[in-house]
């Protein structure tokens, strides 16, 4: 049995994953526009807060939040080309709203460029735009944090949804989906089937819980 003095103790930085976080931030800052980088930082901090509230691993939440938009550096055309070249599947629907492909390709890019192999983190990046029925808590946290982070200001009901996010995460997912779909319907934007699937799942969940729906 090795004596304690031979065992190299981890530094506080190593224990908290801070050295990796610093590396991810450094790399991300180089590839994203300044506003997008700030948004990514803000999402990561919001993810940490929500992870504290819902008992999720803080490090995973921080990394998923930080890297959720890591593929935003690519144009829609580049994203489609990269997916085709690297065998990353996307739906026909996504071609009609190609901006959502940054989440699908983002999971692959985080794996390759940032060496992330944690499936829960990759999955949270993958689903952060359209969500999916029965999201994991980490997936829901990134989905919600992306919408409510402090730098956002355009959505009408932000104060209400921000508060809700810390009371009932599923309800926040439902409200965000509702408002996003309503906005796209009113503005003539294309709505992916995956987005409707997420919305209908959470609407049913609200009904089952006896909560009011719109
Ligand atoms: Fe995004
Ligand atoms: Fe984002």
């Amino acid at each position: 049995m090795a004596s304690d003095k031979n065992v190299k103790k981890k530094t506080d930085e190593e224990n908290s994953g801070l050295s990796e976080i610093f590396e991810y931030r450094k790399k991300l800052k180089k590839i994203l526009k300044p506003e997008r980088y700030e948004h990514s930082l803000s999402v990561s901090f919001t993810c940490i807060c929500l992870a504290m509230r819902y008992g999720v691993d803080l490090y995973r939440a921080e990394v998923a939040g930080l890297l959720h938009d890591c593929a935003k550096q690519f144009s829609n055309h580049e994203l489609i080309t990269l997916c085709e070249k690297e065998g990353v599947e996307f739906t026909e629907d996504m071609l009609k709203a190609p901006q959502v492909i940054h989440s699908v390709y983002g999971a692959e890019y985080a794996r390759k460029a940032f060496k992330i192999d944690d499936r829960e983190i990759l999955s949270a990046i993958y689903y952060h735009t359209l969500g999916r029925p029965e999201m994991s808590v980490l997936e829901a946290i990134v989905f919600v944090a992306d919408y409510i982070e402090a730098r956002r200001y355009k959505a009408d009901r932000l104060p209400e949804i921000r508060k809700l996010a810390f009371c009932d995460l599923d309800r926040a997912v439902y409200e965000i989906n509702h408002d996003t779909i309503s906005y796209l319907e009113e503005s003539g934007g294309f709505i992916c089937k995956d987005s409707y699937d997420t919305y209908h799942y959470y609407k049913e969940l609200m009904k089952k819980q006896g909560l009011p729906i719109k």
Side-chain angles (χ1 to χ4, degrees):
M1 199 174 147
S3 67
D4 278 356
K5 65 180 178 186
N6 292 329
V7 178
K8 187 182 172 288
K9 274 198 168 174
K10 279 189 170 184
T11 63
D12 287 347
E13 198 172 290
E14 283 168 337
N15 276 327
S16 66
L18 197 54
S19 49
E20 284 129 335
I21 296 281
F22 283 159
E23 278 306 308
Y24 299 150
R25 284 191 197 156
K26 208 161 103 182
K27 194 164 184 168
L28 206 58
K29 199 172 184 176
K30 280 186 194 158
I31 62 176
L32 296 182
K33 288 181 180 162
E35 316 79 60
R36 182 62 53 184
Y37 177 68
E38 279 302 316
H39 163 70
S40 301
L41 281 184
S42 190
V43 171
S44 77
F45 298 142
T46 309
C47 282
I48 291 172
C49 296
L50 289 168
M52 287 175 180
R53 163 66 179 86
Y54 293 105
V56 168
D57 182 85
L58 303 188
Y59 176 76
R60 274 194 173 122
E62 182 170 9
V63 174
L66 190 62
L67 300 182
H68 80 287
D69 272 345
C70 65
K72 267 282 187 182
Q73 60 176 302
F74 302 113
S75 68
N76 291 342
H77 177 71
E78 286 171 328
L79 284 168
I80 293 166
T81 309
L82 284 163
C83 283
E84 286 171 346
K85 207 171 118 190
E86 296 175 32
V88 178
E89 290 181 10
F90 54 83
T91 64
E92 281 294 313
D93 263 14
M94 290 177 185
L95 275 179
K96 293 173 193 156
Q99 68 280 6
V100 306
I101 299 177
H102 78 272
S103 59
V104 173
Y105 185 70
E108 181 65 5
Y109 190 71
R111 193 178 68 79
K112 284 184 177 156
F114 289 84
K115 309 281 178 254
I116 303 294
D117 57 7
D118 184 306
R119 293 167 74 98
E120 290 187 42
I121 294 176
L122 296 175
S123 183
I125 295 172
Y126 187 96
Y127 290 109
H128 86 265
T129 52
L130 303 178
R132 69 173 171 119
E134 213 175 344
M135 280 193 273
S136 71
V137 181
L138 182 62
E139 286 163 5
I141 282 176
V142 177
F143 182 87
V144 169
D146 192 25
Y147 193 87
I148 66 164
E149 61 97 353
R151 308 270 179 245
R152 294 266 193 211
Y153 61 93
K154 282 181 182 164
D156 288 343
R157 296 196 301 140
L158 266 178
E160 184 187 336
I161 295 175
R162 279 180 176 140
K163 204 171 163 186
L164 194 56
F166 289 89
C167 303
D168 184 339
L169 192 62
D170 288 335
R171 181 90 200 166
V173 170
Y174 166 71
E175 297 290 349
I176 290 168
N177 263 293
H178 174 274
D179 285 9
T180 304
I181 287 175
S182 298
Y183 170 76
L184 288 170
E185 280 173 350
E186 281 162 25
S187 61
F190 181 79
I191 303 161
C192 293
K193 183 185 171 293
D194 290 349
S195 207
Y196 277 125
D197 288 348
T198 307
Y199 175 64
H200 291 305
Y201 172 83
Y202 283 91
K203 189 174 179 178
E204 282 307 307
L205 194 64
M206 294 304 105
K207 274 193 210 167
K208 276 183 205 159
Q209 293 175 1
L211 293 167
I213 49 160
K214 294 183 173 82

